[in-house]
Amino acid sequence: DSGVTQTPKHLITATGQRVTLRCSPRSGDLSVYWYQQSLDQGLQFLIQYYNGEERAKGNILERFSAQQFPDLHSELNLSSLELGDSALYFCASSVGVGEEQYFGPGTRLTVT
Amino acid sequence: GESVGLHLPTLSVQEGDNSIINCAYSNSASDYFIWYKQESGKGPQFIIDIRSNMDKRQGQRVTVLLNKTVKHLSLQIAATQPGDSAVYFCAERRSNYKLTFGKGTLLTVNP
């Protein structure tokens, strides 16, 4: 157990809908990272927050957004969902910026 | 495109043998490398890391070797066990602290 929690574990929704994925980092970690993992693209970095502020952006679509709250938990919002958004979404956390990241168990999103 | 890639997408070994998983990277500015293990249905799990000012680092049954001359990273697992069966990813960190992951190698350990 990495200490990073993610909810929900599974999510099934229809195209065009909006969902919110939630992540709680390990105690003491200030950075939260979001990744998307699909069979054809591998593990893709989406976005990073450090102590509430956006720190780095990767291959995140404009339909996706994220935020980190004062209690350091983070949410990833996915809107106007498409079939291609079906994937595993992982959250990771680290103490600061650039240290080893600890991954949560992931949320499996299925868009039908 | 991906700058971190794996030479072998699958690797099958016998229990007790040593395993070597390879990874190539193309960004000479990368200063930090990590190996992750991902078991089926779970998130990636940190195994070992190495900074660019080192060429070797050892952990428990694992060794990471870094050859900056040819931009090559390898993970050696000694006395491979069935529990080592998983997908192994290498990742590189660049100056912007973003991790870039390779596609992964599936390691299968045969009893």
Side-chain angles (χ1 to χ4, degrees):
Chain A
D1 184 1
S2 67
V4 178
T5 60
Q6 289 187 247
T7 57
K9 193 170 177 64
H10 300 279
L11 197 50
I12 301 175
T13 189
T15 54
Q17 295 298 304
R18 172 190 168 95
V19 297
T20 297
L21 312 183
R22 183 188 168 101
C23 168
S24 292
R26 292 187 320 158
S27 177
D29 284 0
L30 298 179
S31 278
V32 168
Y33 311 77
W34 285 99
Y35 292 87
Q36 179 191 59
Q37 186 176 42
S38 58
L39 285 175
D40 58 343
Q41 291 293 324
L43 199 60
Q44 298 283 320
F45 167 73
L46 296 178
I47 197 164
Q48 177 200 357
Y49 282 82
Y50 175 76
N51 204 20
E53 300 286 328
E54 183 183 303
R55 179 70 188 222
K57 224 169 185 175
N59 303 319
I60 188 166
L61 300 172
E62 286 195 10
R63 300 184 285 110
F64 296 180
S65 65
Q67 55 183 326
Q68 186 180 27
F69 295 87
D71 66 354
L72 301 177
H73 91 272
S74 179
E75 291 181 355
L76 178 66
N77 300 296
L78 314 176
S79 61
S80 302
L81 285 167
E82 302 174 359
L83 295 177
D85 297 327
S86 296
L88 273 167
Y89 290 84
F90 288 104
C91 168
S93 72
S94 65
V95 172
V97 175
E99 290 88 0
E100 63 192 66
Q101 298 176 20
Y102 293 86
F103 282 77
T107 293
R108 181 173 293 279
L109 173 66
T110 302
V111 182
T112 61
Chain B
E2 287 288 336
S3 72
V4 179
L6 293 161
H7 293 310
L8 296 173
T10 61
L11 179 64
S12 184
V13 300
Q14 291 299 122
E15 182 177 358
D17 287 352
N18 296 333
S19 302
I20 300 176
I21 301 171
N22 297 302
C23 178
Y25 65 96
S26 59
N27 193 321
S28 58
S30 295
D31 65 346
Y32 178 57
F33 303 87
I34 309 175
W35 280 100
Y36 283 92
K37 171 187 179 183
Q38 186 174 20
E39 297 175 272
S40 181
K42 297 185 178 179
Q45 175 188 359
F46 173 89
I47 302 174
I48 193 167
D49 58 1
I50 189 167
R51 300 195 182 275
S52 59
N53 60 352
M54 303 169 68
D55 53 21
K56 181 179 180 179
R57 190 155 189 234
Q58 288 186 288
Q60 188 177 15
R61 280 201 308 118
V62 295
T63 301
V64 56
L65 298 177
L66 176 62
N67 186 330
K68 292 182 288 292
T69 302
V70 295
K71 298 189 184 68
H72 185 267
L73 191 69
S74 69
L75 176 71
Q76 300 177 3
I77 305 174
T80 314
Q81 303 167 1
D84 295 327
S85 294
V87 176
Y88 289 81
F89 294 95
C90 63
E92 62 172 324
R93 186 188 73 182
R94 301 177 185 177
S95 57
N96 62 1
Y97 298 109
K98 188 181 79 170
L99 279 184
T100 300
F101 286 80
K103 293 292 187 193
T105 290
L106 174 61
L107 174 66
T108 302
V109 182
N110 302 308

